[in-house]
């Protein structure tokens, strides 16, 4: 007896000593946390068995995902059957099942229907699609319902993606660094590929498939020619093989001068037949290794990258030559409109428009022009890019930045859903009211079939993938909006929070509230009232509105704020650069007058006196200071809210977020203080009543230096 007791005690101690798996964020929104007894029983009742006939790799992944998820949420593994019985999840495609009791028309190759049906008197949940990939997407939808506590009864859902190409752009370098990456080194282990293929690649594909992402550009837009060499094509092919069952295609960024660098051609002139032949042969070589290769992404004649303009050819000449090379294989070219040149003295916000607008209608039918959301560069807030609405004959692709180069990098909690939503919902008036940016990129406004959206990834080898738990929400939101640009950022935040933390409303409500105001808070403490591009040089970490000595004028923050003793802001009206004329007349008219310009974009479009009266009645200067303070205060509020969640969040993720919020608060204060110290040195105005003086003098802020800040290109 005593021996048995000792034995049991030892066993209990062993069990207690087993490491409980820490919530380190690796599982993202696919945690499948135990659902509790009642909910677990409900999920079990709807997933007693997984019934499916197909045996493709995609179908196998769908079944595996369901088994893993249901087992983890309920403690019971569903059976695997071919015929649906009571409580089955029935996965059906026309290829595997003769008569599917829901219409599949309109679902396309990637969409799905989920319906609660009665089959021979038995309740069954049918997930049906035209393809196995559609099934996989439907499975992830059902798992989202299961994870968020939604009803699993009487389902009648149909969903198909509104945008065809939903891509991540990795700015990952071949040496393992990531340009503007704040989550550690690249997840592509180029060195050990193609021989070693770690498990993380599959988890990457699962996560992306779960939000509908269907393509990934593996390498940096500032590309190296070597990405197109035979060994690197083999490495890319190894990744493509892993991603294929998840419906994810691989694409590559290309360097314009690759034919010269790799094979010694004398020129990269797109109209030179030898150059065209080189690209054709290269495309053939790639497609032999990767039969479903997606195509090329190109940054040309921008920020020092070579391009067709070096040979007096246009962007269209360049894009069309590449397009011809991939066309026989069904590939596409994504040509970036992020161009501006040091020898062009005109407002940087106009340059891409001036280059590309005249080329509308001149691109081959497998070319898309990829346009950043705003005309400068992923700032905390930018008006939508005027090219949206200005090139009806060209399919325009949206480029968002998921990685937060300008919004607090890895540590600030600034949920980007509202930023994405604001741009997608913006009305271009291209064809009258309601011509939203979303309708341009989903092709509906101008009748384009080729449609796309790209997000610059925030993924690295950090255990939590994105540098912070909350940054995962930006990846998630990008995918969800790419599938359906009409979703609300708030609804997406609710889903994400339920899956990432808990479906408990005591968690969801405060967390979502924090998230929803967080981007506006960053705008407030960094660049309120339409200011932009005031960050430090190179790494872009922290404030430096005083920088004025860099070689190219448009690299200097002073170029953007134009503050002087009399006022502040960039005059983009007729009396200034007239960038407003690039917008539809209905918008341009509104922007011509500061009184009818949204205050959130005021100093983007106008240079105004410091004592200009804002709508609140306060002066511009006082309003600026109040916004800085409001931003800092918001972060303090988030800290308090987060502290109140301590009992409801696991210790690991609680601690990370708490520490990061403290960093964010310190840095918000720094942005506020440095900006005020600098602008005050120019306008010599007193601070509004009650506002605190900056903690240090201007020289102290100017002397900050961060040679090792991450993400630098
Ligand atoms: C800017 C980044 C730079 C990128 C560039 C681009 O600072 O690292 O190379 O955009 O999009 O935002 O090409």
């Amino acid at each position: 007896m005593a021996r048995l007791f000792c034995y049991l005690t030892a066993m209990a101690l062993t069990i207690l000593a087993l490491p409980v798996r820490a919530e380190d964020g690796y599982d993202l929104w696919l945690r499948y946390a135990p659902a509790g007894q009642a909910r677990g029983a409900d999920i079990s009742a709807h997933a007693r068995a997984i019934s499916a006939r197909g045996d493709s790799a995609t179908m196998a992944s769908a079944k595996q995902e369901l088994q893993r998820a249901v087992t983890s949420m309920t403690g019971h593994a569903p059976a695997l059957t071919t015929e649906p019985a009571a409580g089955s999840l029935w996965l059906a495609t026309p290829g595997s099942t003769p008569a599917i009791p829901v219409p599949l028309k309109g679902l396309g190759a990637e969409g799905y229907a989920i319906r609660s049906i009665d089959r021979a008197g038995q309740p069954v949940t049918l997930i049906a699609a035209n393809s196995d990939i559609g099934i996989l997407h439907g499975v992830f939808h059902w798992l989202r319902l299961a994870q968020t506590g939604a009803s699993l009864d009487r389902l009648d859902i149909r969903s198909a993606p509104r945008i065809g190409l939903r891509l991540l752009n990795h700015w990952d370098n071949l040496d393992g660094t990531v340009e503007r990456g704040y989550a550690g080194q690249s997840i592509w282990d180029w060195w050990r590929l193609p021989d070693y293929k770690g498990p993380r690649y599959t988890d990457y594909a699962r996560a992306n498939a779960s939000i509908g992402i269907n393509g990934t550009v593996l390498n940096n837009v500032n590309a190296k020619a070597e990405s197109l060499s035979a060994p690197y094509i083999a490495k890319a092919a190894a990744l493509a093989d892993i991603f294929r069952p998840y419906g994810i295609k691989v694409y590559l960024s290309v360097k314009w001068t690759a034919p010269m660098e790799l094979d010694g051609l004398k020129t990269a002139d797109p109209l030179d037949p030898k150059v065209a032949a080189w690209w054709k042969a290269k495309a053939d070589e790639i497609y032999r290794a990767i039969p479903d290769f997606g195509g090329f992404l190109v940054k040309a004649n921008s920020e020092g990258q070579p391009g067709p303009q070096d040979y007096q050819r246009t962007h269209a000449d360049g894009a069309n030559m590449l397009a011809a090379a991939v066309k026989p294989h069904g590939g596409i070219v994504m040509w970036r409109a992020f161009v501006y040149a040091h020898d062009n003295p005109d407002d940087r916000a106009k340059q891409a428009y001036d280059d590309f607008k005249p080329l509308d209608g001149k691109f081959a039918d497998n070319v898309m022009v990829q346009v950043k959301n705003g005309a400068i560069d992923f700032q905390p807030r930018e008006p939508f890019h005027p090219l949206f609405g200005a090139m009806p004959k060209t399919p325009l692709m949206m480029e968002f930045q998921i990685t937060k180069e300008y919004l607090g990098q890895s540590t600030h909690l600034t949920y980007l859903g509202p930023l994405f939503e604001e741009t997608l919902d913006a009305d271009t008036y291209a064809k009258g009211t309601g011509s939203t940016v979303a309708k341009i990129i989903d092709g509906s406004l101008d009748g384009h079939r080729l449609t796309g959206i790209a997000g610059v990834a925030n993924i690295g080898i950090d255990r939590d993938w994105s540098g912070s738990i909350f940054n995962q929400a930006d990846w998630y939101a990008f995918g969800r909006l790419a599938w359906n640009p009409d979703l609300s950022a708030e609804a997406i935040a609710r889903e994400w929070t339920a899956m990432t933390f808990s479906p408990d409303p005591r968690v969801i409500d405060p967390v979502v509230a924090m998230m929803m105001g967080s981007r506006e808070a960053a705008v407030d403490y960094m660049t309120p009232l339409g200011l932009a591009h005031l960050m430090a040089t190179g790494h872009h970490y922290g404030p430096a509105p005083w920088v004025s000595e860099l070689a190219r004028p448009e690299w200097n923050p002073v170029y953007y704020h134009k503050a002087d003793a009399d006022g502040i802001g960039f005059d983009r009206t007729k009396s200034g650069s007239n960038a407003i004329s690039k917008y539809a007349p209905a918008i341009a008219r509104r922007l011509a007058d500061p009184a009818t310009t949204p205050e959130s974009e005021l100093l983007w479009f106008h240079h105004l006196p410091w004592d200009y009266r804002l709508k609140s009645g306060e002066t511009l200067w006082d309003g600026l200071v109040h916004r800085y303070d409001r931003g800092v205060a918001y972060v303090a509020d988030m800290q308090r809210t987060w502290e109140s969640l301590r009992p409801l969040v696991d210790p690991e993720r609680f601690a990370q977020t708490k520490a990061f919020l403290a960093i964010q608060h310190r840095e918000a204060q720094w942005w506020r203080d440095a900006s005020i110290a600098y602008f005050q040195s120019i306008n010599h105005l007193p601070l509004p009543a009650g506002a605190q003086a900056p903690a240090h003098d201007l020289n102290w802020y100017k002397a900050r230096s961060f040679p090792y800040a991450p993400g630098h290109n």
Side-chain angles (χ1 to χ4, degrees):
M1 190 65 191
R3 265 175 58 192
L4 179 65
F5 179 73
C6 280
Y7 173 70
L8 287 176
T9 317
M11 270 235 319
L13 286 176
T14 318
I15 290 168
L16 282 177
L18 281 178
V20 177
R21 213 160 113 264
E23 288 274 16
D24 58 11
Y26 184 84
D27 292 333
L28 297 160
W29 48 87
L30 302 175
R31 285 167 59 250
Y32 307 130
Q37 223 178 12
R39 178 67 178 169
D42 185 35
I43 295 172
S44 271
H46 291 86
R48 277 193 227 295
I50 302 162
S51 315
R53 286 239 183 97
D55 59 357
S56 70
T58 302
M59 207 47 126
S61 311
K63 289 191 275 191
Q64 261 165 32
E65 194 72 30
L66 277 172
Q67 278 199 300
R68 158 196 206 141
V70 173
T71 310
S72 163
M73 287 187 284
T74 69
H76 299 289
L80 285 178
T81 65
T82 48
E83 280 311 308
S88 282
L89 275 169
W90 180 26
L91 315 182
T93 60
S96 65
T97 313
I100 295 179
V102 296
L104 300 179
K105 209 167 162 241
L107 295 177
E110 295 182 295
Y112 53 84
I114 306 178
R115 193 184 280 182
S116 311
I117 58 166
D118 186 289
R119 202 170 143 84
Q122 309 287 4
V124 164
T125 305
L126 169 67
I127 302 181
N130 288 310
S131 70
D132 292 357
I133 291 298
I135 295 286
L136 183 65
H137 290 149
V139 161
F140 278 116
H141 188 131
W142 187 85
L143 287 173
R144 192 159 64 233
L145 300 176
Q147 286 203 86
T148 53
S151 168
L152 301 174
D153 290 316
R154 287 186 285 282
L155 299 179
D156 189 6
I157 295 163
R158 292 173 62 79
S159 185
R162 283 256 307 276
I163 300 176
L165 306 179
R166 306 174 301 279
L167 270 49
L168 289 183
N169 285 184
H170 285 265
W171 286 358
D172 294 22
N173 298 314
L174 302 186
D175 65 2
T177 57
V178 180
E179 184 157 338
R180 312 309 175 187
Y182 311 100
Q185 296 283 103
S186 170
I187 51 166
W188 316 135
D189 186 354
W190 290 116
W191 191 248
R192 287 184 283 189
L193 279 166
D195 306 291
Y196 176 64
K197 298 179 277 266
R200 196 153 185 162
Y201 300 135
T202 306
D203 288 332
Y204 168 87
R206 287 175 51 233
N208 280 315
S210 78
I211 50 176
I213 285 170
N214 66 358
T216 179
V217 183
L218 298 175
N219 60 323
N220 194 351
V221 286
N222 296 317
K224 294 278 183 228
E226 287 85 351
S227 317
L228 297 180
S229 65
Y232 279 89
I233 292 174
K235 293 168 196 279
L239 293 176
D241 289 342
I242 299 171
F243 302 159
R244 189 168 295 113
Y246 294 89
I248 296 166
K249 283 188 183 180
V250 154
Y251 299 72
L252 290 172
S253 296
V254 299
K255 184 161 186 194
W256 187 253
T257 45
M260 300 166 78
E261 292 183 40
L262 293 180
D263 284 311
L265 268 65
K266 295 268 164 329
T267 174
D269 180 349
L271 300 193
D272 185 309
K274 287 205 201 75
V275 173
W278 186 90
W279 282 105
K280 195 178 168 327
K282 185 51 75 180
D284 294 347
E285 179 188 350
I286 295 173
Y287 278 94
R288 275 194 299 278
I290 313 173
D292 56 354
F293 178 67
F296 295 136
L297 172 63
V298 194
K299 172 175 179 177
N301 294 115
S302 169
E303 299 188 326
Q305 290 296 332
Q309 291 180 334
D310 302 342
Y311 308 91
Q312 284 69 55
R313 312 296 185 198
T314 67
H315 288 290
D317 293 330
N320 294 346
M321 183 273 290
L322 287 184
V326 292
K327 174 117 185 168
H329 306 283
I332 59 145
V333 169
M334 298 164 288
W335 195 271
R336 295 177 87 227
F338 178 69
V339 300
Y340 62 100
H342 64 284
D343 48 4
N344 185 347
D346 208 348
D347 178 0
R348 176 175 165 190
K350 288 160 64 183
Q351 294 186 26
Y353 183 102
D354 290 340
D355 261 5
F356 279 85
K357 163 89 184 153
L359 298 176
D360 190 26
K362 302 218 159 72
F363 289 98
D365 63 3
N366 58 334
V367 174
M368 311 191 70
V369 171
Q370 182 166 311
V371 183
K372 288 189 182 182
N373 59 288
I376 300 290
D377 194 8
F378 300 137
Q379 295 303 296
R381 167 165 285 120
E382 289 193 40
F384 73 86
H385 200 303
L387 275 175
F388 292 112
M391 296 184 70
K393 296 189 192 125
T394 312
L396 298 187
M397 227 172 135
M398 169 65 72
E399 180 176 316
F400 282 128
Q401 195 179 43
I402 307 172
T403 189
K404 293 194 301 215
E405 176 178 1
Y406 301 104
L407 282 117
Q409 306 191 347
S410 80
T411 49
H412 293 208
L413 196 169
T414 39
Y415 170 51
L416 299 182
L419 186 161
F420 301 156
E421 183 177 46
E422 180 175 297
T423 309
L424 292 167
D425 289 351
D427 198 341
T428 68
Y429 291 89
K431 291 190 173 163
T433 328
S435 307
T436 59
V437 171
K439 284 188 191 160
I440 290 166
I441 60 166
D442 76 8
S444 60
L445 194 74
D446 302 306
H448 292 298
R449 296 180 59 160
L450 191 57
T451 56
I453 182 167
V456 179
N458 65 354
I459 297 166
I461 49 162
D462 278 8
R463 276 297 289 172
D464 64 23
W465 301 83
S466 301
S468 85
I469 299 297
F470 275 90
N471 285 350
Q472 298 174 354
D474 302 323
W475 176 9
Y476 184 83
F478 169 77
R480 298 286 288 127
L481 284 167
W483 183 276
N484 179 2
D486 286 343
L487 291 177
S488 82
E490 178 161 1
I492 294 171
R494 295 190 79 82
E495 283 172 15
W496 176 81
T497 305
M499 293 191 285
T500 302
F501 289 109
S502 158
D504 183 343
R506 291 174 306 159
V507 176
I508 297 186
D509 293 340
V511 168
V512 171
M514 278 167 65
M515 291 168 76
M516 286 307 292
S518 59
R519 180 274 190 136
E520 201 62 46
V523 170
D524 276 345
Y525 61 71
M526 291 179 176
T527 49
L529 287 169
L531 289 173
H533 211 284
L534 305 186
M535 66 289 160
T537 306
H539 48 63
H540 297 168
Y541 167 69
W546 46 81
V547 171
S548 63
E549 72 292 341
L550 303 177
R552 291 171 57 160
E554 76 285 353
W555 283 352
N556 292 297
V558 297
Y559 170 95
Y560 296 93
H561 64 67
K562 301 213 181 322
D564 56 24
D566 300 326
I568 180 170
F570 199 124
D571 182 4
R572 293 194 160 102
T573 67
K574 250 195 202 139
S575 52
S577 79
N578 204 19
I580 62 167
S581 67
K582 309 292 173 192
Y583 289 101
I587 300 178
R589 265 196 305 279
R590 215 172 57 214
L591 296 176
D593 180 355
T596 50
T597 302
E599 263 179 4
S600 59
E601 298 174 351
L602 198 57
L603 302 177
W604 184 281
F605 291 111
H606 302 280
H607 185 83
L608 295 171
W610 293 105
D611 61 359
Y612 173 85
R613 290 284 156 186
L614 295 172
K615 298 212 165 70
S616 61
E618 61 193 341
T619 65
L620 176 59
W621 171 238
D622 288 0
L624 208 55
V625 174
H626 284 147
R627 280 169 175 77
Y628 288 128
D629 279 328
R630 190 171 70 186
V632 178
Y634 191 91
V635 182
D637 274 348
M638 291 201 289
Q639 289 182 287
R640 279 186 288 275
T641 306
W642 190 251
E643 194 55 54
S644 75
L645 288 163
R646 186 190 284 273
L648 299 173
V649 176
D650 53 280
E652 293 82 9
R653 296 185 301 167
F654 180 83
Q656 187 206 60
T657 303
K658 184 177 160 77
F660 286 1
L661 283 169
I663 297 173
Q664 183 176 8
H665 189 257
R666 190 175 69 225
E667 294 183 352
Q669 187 73 45
W670 169 36
W671 265 95
R672 179 248 182 224
D673 284 355
S675 306
I676 290 178
Y678 169 66
F679 289 129
Q680 220 178 6
S681 78
I682 293 182
N683 65 18
H684 303 292
L685 290 169
L687 290 175
Q692 292 284 318
H696 304 278
D697 66 13
L698 180 57
N699 286 328
W700 189 90
Y701 296 107
K702 286 186 172 176
R704 302 297 92 203
S705 137
F706 304 93
Y708 307 115
H712 201 347
N713 59 350

